[in-house]
Amino acid sequence: MKNNPRALAVIALTRVFQNKAYSNIEINNLLQNSDLSDADSRLMTNIVYGVIQHKYVLEYQLKPYLQDKDKKVELWLDLLLMSAIYQLQFLDKIPAHAVLNESTEIAKQKAGRGAGNLVNAVLRNYQRHGYKELPKSDSVYDLSLRNSVPRWLVDLFIDQQGKAKAKEILGSINQPSHISIRVNTNKTTVADLKEILDKKGFDVSPSKISSVGLICKSGNLVDTQEFRDGLYTIQDESSMLVAPALDIKPDSKVLDACSAPGGKTTHIASYLKDGEVVALDIHKHKTKLVRDNGQRMGYGDIISTGAVDARKAKDLLNTKFDRILVDAPCSGLGLMRRKPELRFFRKPEDLENLQRVQLEILDSMVDLLEVNGKLVFSTCTFDDEENEIVVKKFLDKHLNFDLIPVKHEPALDGSITHGMLKIFPSDYFTDGFFVAAFVRKN
Ligand SMILES: C[S@@+](CC[C@H](N)C(=O)[O-])C[C@H]1O[C@@H](n2cnc3c(N)ncnc32)[C@H](O)[C@@H]1O
């Protein structure tokens, strides 16, 4: 089974749904211990993401063919059947007989002849009757089913953004994502790096929303000499909009309160000459990632790290900063395209709990910021509870802070409201993101 892409996909999917594991981490772990060819690795990855992205649709297709007595099939068997239907329906290059034979064999090897017979019978039945058309209305139920997004989230998107925008967001999150990189402009230029990567066969194009971003449709961008030499880092385009919002000067003293794995820390460092950046994270093991990234990108001597709960930072750090970034822990709903399982892991009460933590971290930053210093708050989600409402509550409590317009490129003018930047996954095909900036008046 170790070298069977379909069996490995089912193992990854079982871990995701049983242990609430992240799909990208499980895929990487399993691929590292397998001898799959590149094509089979791509197939395995495609099945894992596809089944998670289309979970409700696949369950809907499967339901009529599971007899009553079989309705409570084990999780792995359910996922094996969904993977098979996903391949039959969504992947056009795989012959149906290969899907049927392989899936039957996997079930037989794992649980004996009975399981193999069940899989074979269900899939033959599905083939005989064909794909069941999905209901087409705009009801919350149908939108939830068609896009495989829990109903509470569909409700939330409609309540906050209106139906048209909610449909646009839902329609975009199950499409394949791009990879983007941020160019380390202290080591190379965007044009030079583009040329080098193009020559290596990466199909690279400039980002429309960040002047230091390049987009790549596919390819292993961590396995190049240029990556090892720190000429670029892998980062979503939306994340590249945060460091510019801090308006950093070459001698700024910057605090990055929630910094791991350090994507934004190294971006901040790229603006500094005599300045420094102190990078905190609550998890000690994650601060190593920040240091490693800093070293690789050539900023090891201006980044220092600390394993600190940012909510307690005001009592632990006895210094002040010119700039503070709170890239806060959040629900990550803006990442649903790249981490499709998030939609199933999150619960409505998470948003309120996360809002509380975000406000506690912001509160702790207030006295660490110099007068006239700037504070930036960002999240990779687009729900109001973790964004605009946090900003409002923070300003209501701290009258010595003003909201100031987020510095941004002209292409993003349409994404600014009351000076705050909010990007939906459907707007520029990036992660969803939010950025707000404040100044301390006194
Ligand atoms: C959105 S991620 C930060 C991403 C990072 N800024 C980057 O660009 O690579 C949020 C981080 O906050 C950390 N975190 C969560 N709660 C925290 C707390 N109370 N204090 C400090 N860090 C915290 C998490 O471990 C996580 O690494």
Side-chain angles (χ1 to χ4, degrees), residues 325-336:
L325 170 61
V326 175
D327 187 34
C330 72
S331 62
L333 292 174
L335 309 179
M336 275 192 295

Side-chain angles (χ1 to χ4, degrees), residues 235 239 256-265 280-283 286 290 293 308-312 325-330 357 361 378-380 433:
Q235 189 173 48
S239 288
D256 186 356
C258 305
S259 65
K264 298 182 192 74
T265 317
L280 310 179
D281 202 276
I282 195 166
H283 298 296
K286 286 195 182 180
V290 183
N293 267 324
V308 171
D309 181 340
R311 289 171 293 187
K312 300 184 183 137
L325 170 61
V326 175
D327 187 34
C330 72
V357 175
I361 295 177
S378 58
T379 68
C380 51
F433 223 86

Side-chain angles (χ1 to χ4, degrees), residues 17 32 89 153 171 257 333 351 356 373 386 408 414 416 421 438:
F17 287 107
Q32 266 164 21
Q89 200 56 48
L153 278 175
L333 292 174
L351 307 186
R356 192 173 324 113
E386 297 177 85
H408 63 279
I416 299 279
L421 174 70
F438 309 88

Side-chain angles (χ1 to χ4, degrees), residues 2-6 8-9 12 26-28 30-49 91 220:
K2 198 174 149 197
N3 288 318
N4 180 328
R6 294 177 175 87
L8 288 181
E26 292 308 322
I27 290 170
N28 287 344
L30 287 164
L31 287 181
Q32 266 164 21
N33 294 312
S34 80
D35 296 321
L36 291 190
S37 64
D38 284 354
D40 278 348
S41 300
R42 280 197 297 277
L43 174 62
M44 180 252 191
T45 306
N46 188 332
I47 295 173
V48 175
Y49 282 124
L91 305 184
N220 187 355

